[in-house]
Amino acid sequence: MGLYDVHAHLTDRRLAAMEADVLARAEAAGVTTIISNGLNPADNEAVAALAARTPIVKPAFGLYPVDAVLPEMLAMGESYPHDREPLPAEQCIDWVRDHVDACVAIGEIGLDHYWVPAELWELQEQRFRELVSLAMEADKPIIIHTRKAERRAFEVLTEMGATRVNWHCYSSKVKFGRTIAEAGHYLSIPANARKAQNFAQLLQTLPRDRVLLETDCPYLGPERDELNEPKNVAGTAAFAAELWGEPEAQVHERLEANFEALFGFAP
Ligand SMILES: [Zn+2]
């Protein structure tokens, strides 16, 4: 048992370039499990390869909500940074279906109404639904990314009866976050919670048995100009202990139990 990061991007080239150091620093901070989330087939492949040679890393395979409609977005003349020609969604979903047994979760997947133009929301949702039902059939937890589409994503998940769900980096209203938690879903709190009021409020407001730890590294670090790393989940656990007025050891136990309840194995 130990600390964990349910949402890392260790395959990001900035972290991959110093992989051994990043993992050593995580272990030194007490981190025992890092779930590296895939964004598209190429990234899922990289996540799978990393997990195969690194026991502390567990793979989540996904399709980033923007990548899910990227060929259509580019065809419409929208611009979005991408380093290779995006694959059609069907091919991306087939990849996840073919590899579902090898992952500990399906993620990240979700809805993004910020980058994706409204004309493509319906198509994006169809693809999201396909991935949700795939996860439900395989009985895998789902790691959700949403931006400006939290209510719709919650409606879809509720309508489909998905219950093994974690919301990564949830950034909408705190009150609605509580509604999500009361439905039995989990919310993972990133490492910048001490400085980001929304996350601090979530930590204070959510039922404590629905809280998980994440980093979204290399993004969302506690310090502005520092690359985020899994080691930073330790700071979030310490912050939770302060907010909750509980000894740190008790908070660690609680957070471990939450992880095990969702993922079905001890972190
Ligand atoms: Zn992510």
Side-chain angles (χ1 to χ4, degrees):
M1 297 278 263
L3 290 169
Y4 54 81
D5 180 353
V6 299
H7 196 95
H9 294 286
L10 294 177
T11 51
D12 180 279
R13 61 169 66 95
R14 290 164 291 175
L15 291 179
M18 48 176 189
E19 181 186 302
D21 292 332
V22 168
L23 294 171
R25 286 192 285 266
E27 287 186 62
V31 176
T32 51
T33 302
I34 303 166
I35 301 182
S36 204
N37 285 232
L39 304 171
N40 51 55
D43 193 36
N44 289 335
E45 300 261 11
V47 166
L50 172 63
R53 61 186 152 81
T54 319
I56 187 177
V57 178
K58 305 294 179 208
F61 299 145
L63 177 58
Y64 194 66
V66 180
D67 289 47
V69 287
L70 194 49
E72 290 84 359
M73 267 174 72
L74 298 176
M76 284 168 65
E78 298 277 332
S79 64
Y80 185 80
H82 58 287
D83 45 18
R84 65 178 77 212
E85 210 42 52
L87 294 176
E90 275 321 311
Q91 239 172 292
C92 301
I93 296 169
D94 284 348
W95 192 99
V96 176
R97 187 176 292 111
D98 291 345
H99 296 82
V100 68
D101 291 339
C103 69
V104 301
I106 298 297
E108 57 193 293
I109 62 171
L111 298 177
D112 187 311
H113 287 180
Y114 177 80
W115 287 107
V116 174
E119 299 95 298
L120 295 175
W121 289 357
E122 207 182 305
L123 193 59
Q124 181 183 225
E125 183 175 311
Q126 269 175 31
R127 290 165 181 175
F128 174 52
R129 283 173 182 269
E130 272 191 65
L131 288 157
V132 171
S133 52
L134 196 163
M136 289 173 69
E137 277 160 29
D139 196 21
K140 298 284 179 181
I142 299 167
I143 298 174
I144 293 288
H145 165 104
T146 55
R147 193 154 178 205
K148 302 273 175 220
E150 287 77 10
R151 280 179 190 274
R152 187 63 197 148
F154 185 62
E155 279 167 13
V156 169
L157 290 163
T158 306
E159 185 202 301
M160 294 182 71
T163 50
R164 298 184 72 191
V165 180
N166 176 55
W167 293 63
H168 126 74
C169 198
Y170 169 85
S171 321
S172 190
K173 296 248 169 16
V174 172
K175 199 175 159 210
F176 191 60
R178 206 186 150 87
T179 303
I180 291 170
E182 280 163 357
H185 299 188
Y186 294 78
L187 291 91
S188 50
I189 305 294
N192 64 354
R194 203 179 276 276
K195 288 187 176 164
Q197 213 195 7
N198 188 56
F199 293 125
Q201 278 177 358
L202 272 177
L203 256 186
Q204 218 150 15
T205 313
L206 292 176
R208 291 175 197 175
D209 61 354
R210 288 290 172 263
V211 172
L212 296 170
L213 300 175
E214 72 155 282
T215 60
D216 199 22
C217 63
Y219 310 102
L220 292 184
E223 302 302 330
R224 251 186 193 289
D225 25 292
E226 225 177 87
L227 220 51
N228 197 8
E229 293 184 19
K231 67 168 183 184
N232 291 326
V233 293
T236 318
F239 183 47
E242 283 170 39
L243 282 180
W244 295 347
E246 288 182 1
E248 246 185 270
Q250 189 181 326
V251 169
H252 284 201
E253 262 176 50
R254 211 187 253 296
L255 294 169
E256 284 164 4
N258 295 351
F259 180 100
E260 195 168 354
L262 177 62
F263 291 100
F265 65 97

